[in-house]
Amino acid sequence: FTIEGLVIGTTGGFLGVFMGALLARWVVQILSKTVTALYVPIPPAPLSLPPALFIEGVLIGVLVSTFSALFPAWQAARLKPREAMEGVFGPEEGGIDHRRLFTLGGVLGLISYALSQWPMVWGFSWNGYLAAGLLLIAFSLIVPTVILLFSKGIRFITKQAGPSWRLAQGHLEQAIRRNGPTVSAFMAALAMMISVVIMIESFRTTVVFWIDQTIQSDILGFPASYMVSDSDETLPEELLPGIENMPSVKAVDGYRSRIISFRDEPVELVGRDLGVHAKNSRYLFQYGESAAVIQRAIEQQTVLISEVLANRFHLKEGDHVTLPTPEGPFSTAIGGVFFDYGTDGGKLVMDRGLLKKHWHDSEIDVVAIYLKDNEQPEAVREQLLARWGNKHGLVFTTQTHFKKEIMDIFNQTFLITYALEWIAMIVALLGIANTLFVSILERRREIGIFRAIGASKPQVVRVVLVEAFYIGVIGHIVGLACGFFLSLLLIFVINKASFGWTLQFYFPPTIILHSFLLAIGTALLAGYFPARKAAQIDLKEAIAYE
């Protein structure tokens, strides 16, 4: 049996590597679009499959399959010949100690929680990933108990239903040893999908709130190369006063961004007209009201930093930082820490007057334009394009269009995540189908007897499909609970340690219905072919022993 597992693993390893290579070609195309949208244009590189990666993939398949075969092989070796020949297996099939497993699952859940509370480590949240792994194992261990409770809980309902529902319920409870791992695998795939959806929706909600609060200018202007490449191109000097003199414009905020070295790491330094920003827009600060914090930063000539930078270098409001300038080190205090989701390395913001004074930089990259009341942004945008767009190669975009661009990039970024989760669901589907096929093979005589005493083929199909339905329901119940806690780890531990962003938790109510339909649909689809197989069992062969 161990050698059989090794052969299966070798075959699966080879097939997995080649299928992975085909999937990688598609993944690279998606990621190249994301990188182009976020950073610089990059054509997809030709796909390569290094020998080391090939060997590693096959080796993983062999090791996982072989180790998975050890316990079943050990059980097969312990099987008593007389009982096997008589078809009597004693308490082995249903005698699983679910209480002990439930207790162990609870202990692992507590350990997972303790790990999640460890101090976050910048760059790699090993404690978060370990906590997530233990959480999945913990919920897998409580699955047998949930199956038993579910089976007992629906007894009253199945008594009122037809025989197919009662037969499926009875077998679900009797075959916990076999159904448990299948439901656990299905639960894990569903939980990971649910947790990622919650994380993405929380991220989306946070980004939308951040955009609505911080990007309040009606029109943004920048060089055409600004959004598509790492360009040093700036706006013409006459642009700012020219826009300010337009009768439809209320205020203009010139924005200059440059990369500096801070503690031997590259960070973004931004200089802008903080006075204009305080009156017309805002930052989301950890502490304090936006206008008051910004005004204090102007008066005290302090710098504002993003949450990512604060977490990256363990800084807080009131700390002093030293920045390198052409004139030498410039020391200033941190006037506030704001939430920002536009950079992954951190950002420092100061009044543009300080930037001019210490860096001798009067250029601007972006101009934020605030219009007077009742002015139409699209009409003003057309005027700006006619006057400066073609002449200087500038782009002017309205707030609505700019927000849409951001959300399009956001959706593009997470597209690959959804694809990977669907792959996990397909694997879970195959696991359910495999379990039901095995169950049918073991119950050939039982199914034959059902047919002999009057059960029709549709009734046999119905029994198997109802059993698949039960697996889907249980997998959804446990998967939804596990996915909820897993999403908390993703949002507040792994994501924060990896990127330094604090996200608002958002649980989309529709995910309950969507995940239920997905779970039931997947389970019934997985049970369809085993059900057909059960109905096609030859009656004479099935009961010949009897």
Side-chain angles (χ1 to χ4, degrees):
F1 282 104
T2 306
I3 293 174
E4 185 178 345
L6 189 147
V7 173
I8 292 173
T10 304
T11 307
F14 274 98
L15 292 175
V17 168
F18 286 114
M19 288 187 65
L22 293 176
L23 284 171
R25 183 182 297 276
W26 173 67
V27 170
V28 166
Q29 292 176 350
I30 293 178
L31 292 182
S32 65
K33 292 179 182 178
T34 302
V35 173
T36 298
L38 292 175
Y39 302 104
V40 296
I42 177 172
L47 188 68
S48 63
L49 183 60
L53 187 61
F54 178 84
I55 295 172
E56 180 183 350
V58 175
L59 190 61
I60 288 174
V62 170
L63 291 177
V64 170
S65 183
T66 304
F67 278 110
S68 299
L70 289 178
F71 183 69
W74 177 69
Q75 283 189 310
R78 292 176 64 239
L79 194 63
K80 297 177 181 179
R82 180 180 59 82
E83 293 179 352
M85 294 174 67
E86 293 178 357
V88 180
F89 297 97
E92 283 287 325
E93 179 63 27
I96 187 169
D97 192 348
H98 62 90
R99 293 185 181 85
R100 181 179 297 176
L101 292 178
F102 186 87
T103 303
L104 180 58
V107 172
L108 289 180
L110 292 175
I111 295 174
S112 174
Y113 174 76
L115 283 171
S116 69
Q117 301 305 303
W118 278 39
M120 292 181 294
V121 180
W122 171 259
F124 185 72
S125 178
W126 65 269
N127 59 311
Y129 288 107
L130 183 58
L134 290 178
L135 186 67
L136 285 170
I137 296 174
F139 273 90
S140 297
L141 292 174
I142 70 172
V143 162
T145 302
V146 176
I147 293 176
L148 190 61
L149 292 175
F150 177 84
S151 178
K152 291 181 178 179
I154 64 172
R155 280 179 183 173
F156 176 76
I157 300 175
T158 56
K159 285 180 181 179
Q160 315 303 320
S164 301
W165 296 85
R166 294 197 298 274
L167 289 170
Q169 176 264 327
H171 188 265
L172 180 74
E173 184 175 333
Q174 294 167 7
I176 291 180
R177 183 181 293 276
R178 180 175 58 248
N179 290 330
T182 301
V183 175
S184 296
F186 183 52
M187 175 277 302
L190 200 60
M192 288 188 289
M193 175 172 278
I194 291 171
S195 66
V196 169
V197 169
I198 294 174
M199 187 269 290
I200 293 175
E201 290 304 312
S202 297
F203 205 162
R204 185 194 304 277
T205 302
T206 303
V207 169
V208 169
F209 179 74
W210 168 68
I211 292 173
D212 290 340
Q213 293 294 313
T214 60
I215 304 179
Q216 298 188 7
S217 58
D218 297 288
I219 299 175
L220 290 169
F222 41 81
S225 61
Y226 184 80
M227 297 293 287
V228 296
S229 67
D230 188 15
S231 172
D232 292 329
E233 187 177 356
T234 58
L235 298 173
E237 293 181 8
E238 69 273 13
L239 180 67
L240 206 60
I243 295 177
E244 287 175 339
N245 292 328
M246 292 179 66
S248 56
V249 174
K250 179 175 66 175
V252 181
D253 179 9
Y255 184 105
R256 173 58 169 164
S257 172
R258 57 185 295 161
I259 302 299
I260 66 169
S261 177
F262 178 70
R263 298 185 180 177
D264 298 323
E265 296 286 344
V267 299
E268 183 180 1
L269 174 65
V270 172
R272 68 186 312 166
D273 192 331
L274 288 180
V276 173
H277 187 73
K279 292 178 182 177
N280 299 279
S281 189
R282 60 179 305 190
Y283 280 125
L284 296 175
F285 287 100
Q286 289 182 339
Y287 308 103
E289 199 275 326
S290 177
V293 176
I294 293 176
Q295 192 60 41
R296 188 166 59 247
I298 297 172
E299 295 170 357
Q300 300 177 1
Q301 297 190 347
T302 56
V303 65
L304 309 173
I305 68 171
S306 67
E307 178 200 21
V308 174
L309 190 76
N311 292 335
R312 183 179 177 185
F313 295 102
H314 308 290
L315 300 170
K316 62 182 183 300
E317 184 177 338
D319 289 351
H320 279 73
V321 293
T322 301
L323 308 177
T325 76
E327 297 179 341
F330 167 58
S331 181
T332 183
I334 297 174
V337 179
F338 61 91
F339 297 104
D340 178 77
Y341 306 93
T343 60
D344 52 10
K347 179 189 294 184
L348 300 107
V349 179
M350 62 175 58
D351 190 73
R352 202 153 64 92
L354 277 179
L355 191 71
K356 291 179 181 178
K357 178 181 177 181
H358 294 283
W359 277 266
H360 309 295
D361 189 345
S362 59
E363 302 286 348
I364 56 172
D365 308 308
V366 179
V367 58
I369 305 168
Y370 301 90
L371 303 181
K372 294 178 181 177
D373 294 340
N374 301 321
E375 293 290 343
Q376 297 299 318
E378 192 60 41
V380 178
R381 173 182 170 274
E382 293 295 334
Q383 297 175 23
L384 293 167
L385 284 173
R387 185 172 178 183
W388 286 288
N390 295 331
K391 182 179 179 181
H392 297 285
L394 305 182
V395 173
F396 293 94
T397 181
T398 61
Q399 180 191 118
T400 302
H401 185 266
F402 188 68
K403 289 179 179 179
K404 182 179 180 299
E405 289 267 337
I406 293 176
M407 296 315 300
D408 286 345
I409 293 174
F410 180 93
N411 294 330
Q412 176 75 42
T413 302
F414 286 102
L415 182 62
I416 185 63
T417 306
Y418 288 120
L420 294 175
E421 295 303 326
W422 275 106
I423 293 173
M425 288 301 298
I426 292 172
V427 172
L429 183 150
L430 296 175
I432 296 174
N434 181 66
T435 297
L436 292 175
F437 271 122
V438 171
S439 173
I440 290 164
L441 290 174
E442 291 183 353
R443 295 153 60 194
R444 284 176 61 87
R445 288 190 345 195
E446 177 186 326
I447 294 171
I449 293 173
F450 289 159
R451 293 290 313 283
I453 62 176
S456 64
K457 287 186 177 182
Q459 285 179 315
V460 173
V461 170
R462 197 176 303 124
V463 170
V464 179
L465 288 179
V466 170
E467 191 173 340
F469 172 79
Y470 288 154
I471 290 176
V473 172
I474 297 170
H476 176 256
I477 293 172
V478 186
L480 193 62
C482 182
F484 172 79
F485 289 105
L486 199 58
S487 68
L488 296 178
L489 279 173
L490 286 175
I491 294 170
F492 297 113
V493 180
I494 296 175
N495 178 78
K496 190 162 186 176
S498 300
F499 302 103
W501 293 328
T502 295
L503 304 181
Q504 300 177 19
F505 181 81
Y506 174 70
F507 184 89
T510 55
I511 197 173
I512 298 176
L513 176 61
H514 291 168
S515 60
F516 177 78
L517 295 176
L518 176 64
I520 299 306
T522 301
L524 291 178
L525 181 62
Y528 174 74
F529 291 103
R532 290 279 302 272
K533 179 70 175 177
Q536 294 169 0
I537 289 177
D538 185 86
L539 178 59
K540 294 180 180 180
E541 291 182 5
I543 62 174
Y545 184 84
E546 301 295 333

